């Protein structure tokens, strides 16, 4: 009986940090090279950046998707009908996300669509990525 009270107190003390844990709701902005400047600045609806019809390349931003881990948003560069590159504009500040992003981008470039597999351990981020990617593909027109 003398050991029961200390064991109970230590158990409660160990569980308090678990009960108080709350995942971060803030999204980290991925640091990357700046995008090429648009030919002419004009107000945009947020779906795509302004591009003249004569340009072969087109940069389109996907919608911002709120996930349990944080916001996810991608920017896709198209070369004609081909997805040339993908860049994360917003991503959760989470180790699994950081490890998953290169895999998601690689899979996107291989598949040339948003029909990609989720990365194990980063399922929520993968789903948000695919949703933002599909929005960018749809916005391309």
């Amino acid at each position: 009986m003398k050991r029961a009270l200390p064991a109970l107190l230590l158990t409660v003390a160990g569980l308090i940090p678990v009960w108080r844990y709350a995942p971060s709701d803030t999204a980290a902005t991925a640091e990357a090279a700046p995008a090429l400047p648009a030919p002419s600045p004009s107000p945009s609806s947020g779906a795509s950046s302004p591009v003249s019809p004569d340009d072969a390349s087109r940069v389109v931003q996907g919608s911002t998707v709120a996930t349990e881990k944080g916001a996810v948003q991608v920017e896709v560069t198209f070369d004609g009908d081909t997805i040339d590159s993908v860049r994360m504009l917003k991503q959760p500040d989470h180790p699994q996300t950081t490890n998953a992003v290169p895999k998601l981008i690689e899979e996107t470039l291989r598949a040339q669509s948003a029909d990609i597999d989720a990365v194990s351990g980063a399922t929520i981020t993968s789903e948000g990525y695919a949703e933002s990617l599909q929005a960018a593909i749809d916005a391309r027109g």
Side-chain angles (χ1 to χ4, degrees), residues 14-85:
L15 289 175
I16 289 174
V18 174
W19 290 328
R20 295 184 50 101
Y21 175 77
S24 174
D25 289 339
T26 61
T29 303
E31 295 295 324
L36 295 174
S40 61
S42 64
S44 97
S45 64
S48 64
S49 57
V51 177
S52 72
D54 297 332
D55 288 344
S57 273
R58 182 165 182 192
V59 179
V60 180
Q61 291 181 358
S63 59
T64 301
V65 178
T67 69
E68 294 173 26
K69 301 289 184 183
V72 176
Q73 184 181 24
V74 300
E75 178 181 82
V76 183
T77 303
F78 294 95
D79 186 11
D81 289 336
T82 305
I83 297 175
D84 195 40
S85 67

Side-chain angles (χ1 to χ4, degrees):
M1 198 64 171
K2 290 181 181 179
R3 293 182 185 169
L5 185 59
L8 180 65
L9 290 174
L10 289 173
T11 301
V12 170
L15 289 175
I16 289 174
V18 174
W19 290 328
R20 295 184 50 101
Y21 175 77
S24 174
D25 289 339
T26 61
T29 303
E31 295 295 324
L36 295 174
S40 61
S42 64
S44 97
S45 64
S48 64
S49 57
V51 177
S52 72
D54 297 332
D55 288 344
S57 273
R58 182 165 182 192
V59 179
V60 180
Q61 291 181 358
S63 59
T64 301
V65 178
T67 69
E68 294 173 26
K69 301 289 184 183
V72 176
Q73 184 181 24
V74 300
E75 178 181 82
V76 183
T77 303
F78 294 95
D79 186 11
D81 289 336
T82 305
I83 297 175
D84 195 40
S85 67
V86 180
R87 183 170 71 115
M88 292 292 285
L89 297 178
K90 295 179 184 175
Q91 69 184 43
D93 186 19
H94 203 267
Q96 283 91 349
T97 298
T98 304
N99 295 332
V101 168
K103 296 174 187 175
L104 291 168
I105 292 172
E106 180 182 331
E107 186 69 24
T108 300
L109 296 176
R110 188 176 314 127
Q112 290 293 306
S113 73
D115 186 22
I116 58 173
D117 291 331
V119 174
S120 179
T123 306
I124 293 170
T125 300
S126 297
E127 290 170 355
Y129 172 90
E131 187 177 332
S132 182
L133 178 62
Q134 186 62 54
I137 292 170
D138 293 344
R140 174 189 53 137

